[in-house]
Amino acid sequence: MTTTPDEAVERAADELTRTVLASFDGAPERLRTLARGLVSHLHAFVRENDVTDEEWRYAIGFLTRTGHITSDVRQEFILLSDVLGVSSLVDVLGNARAAGATPSAVLGPFYVEGPPELPQGADISGGLDGEPVLADVTITDTAGVPVADAVVDVWQANKDGYYDVQLPDQEGPVLRGRLRTDAGGRLRFWTILPAPYPIPDDGPVGELLAAAGRHSMRAPHLHFMIAAPGRRTLVTQLFVEGGDYLDSDAVFGVKEPIIVPFSEQDDPAPDGRPGPWRRVEFTFRLA
Ligand code: BEZ
Ligand code: FE
């Protein structure tokens, strides 16, 4: 029986894939599993799409540029993982291991370690212009038992969609802080309504979005990182109900249970401040 050129290529490709897979036989178990999975899927990707030499060199160049633009304050690889939905996929699978807990959501690149410690009732807006929001938050375990003394970091964008670290004239942290829950697992702070904003789109990830005709906008949200002894740390977000981009968030971070009303209030504000204000209330459940 004669072999056609196509069959010969298929055979050579199969043989190559088998050889590469076997090269990981001596690796520790988890590395072997992950490396073999990665090689199988990558090889299948190249074969199914008949990737050309020129396309592969472009892909390597793209990753090289992604590395070059990455720094302590610019995490382009995280952004790439975010826009490919991988960060959210890892997150969704992790949530399945924390039954009954509030869903987590991506950390994003704007978290700053060691935010300012603030008392109950603090205003994190630092006087920045925006629609005042009173946040009343409760932290419980999955059985609904309040968690006292939980450490809660919050951070968010301003009314124009910028984080403090992006504001050229901003001195020191603003729209971020660390608060602790009281004996009833509660905490309260004032802030302003966050706006939608574009993820950093002036690098390779922005090029990818533009080439694909995708926008770079995130739905408006507040970030939370909640830690308490003996509990799984929860990194999540609260999305403003009715906000833009909830159904097309650039990093696929929106989950239905964490879309919440930031309701306009008719009563006078509890601290006597004038003008319209909103209230958001939410109970986070820690695993
Ligand atoms: C953020 O919500 O801060 C964020 C998340 C992923 C990518 C860019 C920004
Ligand atoms: Fe954000």
Side-chain angles (χ1 to χ4, degrees):
M1 211 168 71
T2 55
T3 306
T4 66
D6 281 355
E7 284 168 346
V9 168
E10 289 288 309
R11 249 189 239 170
D14 283 346
E15 179 59 26
L16 176 65
T17 300
R18 271 198 301 275
T19 305
V20 178
L21 289 174
S23 74
F24 289 100
D25 282 352
E29 190 185 341
R30 184 64 178 156
L31 173 60
R32 185 171 68 237
T33 305
L34 293 177
R36 287 177 64 97
L38 183 65
V39 167
S40 310
H41 286 279
L42 270 178
H43 282 219
F45 169 82
V46 170
R47 288 175 73 168
E48 281 162 19
N49 295 289
D50 202 7
V51 173
T52 65
D53 192 42
E54 190 190 354
E55 286 169 333
W56 192 243
R57 270 188 283 116
Y58 185 90
I60 299 284
F62 178 88
L63 291 175
T64 303
R65 285 184 288 118
T66 301
H68 283 165
I69 202 174
T70 295
S71 70
D72 288 350
V73 291
R74 174 74 189 243
Q75 295 287 355
E76 196 76 359
F77 276 111
I78 295 183
L79 218 49
L80 182 57
S81 154
D82 292 342
V83 302
L84 294 178
V86 182
S87 308
S88 282
L89 180 59
V90 172
D91 182 49
V92 164
L93 299 177
N95 276 320
R97 291 190 282 270
T102 299
S104 49
V106 293
L107 175 71
F110 298 116
Y111 177 67
V112 177
E113 301 273 352
E117 300 257 0
L118 301 171
Q120 284 280 351
D123 185 344
I124 69 167
S125 73
L128 289 185
D129 205 21
E131 233 185 301
V133 173
L134 179 60
D136 272 315
V137 165
T138 306
I139 315 291
T140 73
D141 64 13
T142 50
V145 177
V147 178
D149 231 14
V151 177
V152 182
D153 290 354
V154 295
W155 69 105
Q156 67 166 95
N158 70 6
K159 75 166 181 39
D160 302 314
Y162 294 106
Y163 285 80
D164 54 359
V165 290
Q166 299 174 294
L167 296 171
D169 297 330
Q170 179 61 42
E171 282 179 18
V174 73
L175 290 177
R176 65 178 73 238
R178 171 168 293 172
L179 297 102
R180 282 164 207 272
T181 53
D182 65 14
R186 286 177 300 261
L187 65 86
R188 161 176 279 201
F189 63 94
W190 280 96
T191 186
I192 52 173
L193 193 66
Y197 64 86
I199 63 171
D201 58 5
D202 56 345
V205 169
E207 268 172 45
L208 173 63
L209 295 182
R214 277 175 56 181
H215 71 70
S216 59
M217 298 301 288
R218 289 228 61 204
H221 56 273
L222 305 181
H223 290 266
F224 292 84
M225 185 188 290
I226 305 167
R231 312 279 166 209
R232 183 196 275 241
T233 296
L234 175 66
V235 176
T236 191
Q237 305 177 16
L238 291 183
F239 291 91
V240 181
E241 190 179 88
D244 291 335
Y245 308 107
L246 284 169
D247 53 8
S248 66
D249 184 55
V251 302
F252 310 97
V254 180
K255 292 167 182 163
E256 213 276 325
I258 47 175
I259 303 175
V260 289
F262 284 58
S263 1
E264 293 174 12
Q265 304 291 310
D266 296 326
D267 301 344
D271 68 344
R273 71 176 63 207
W277 61 289
R278 296 181 184 228
R279 186 194 283 272
V280 59
E281 290 172 284
F282 195 77
T283 298
F284 294 96
R285 290 173 176 266
L286 304 186

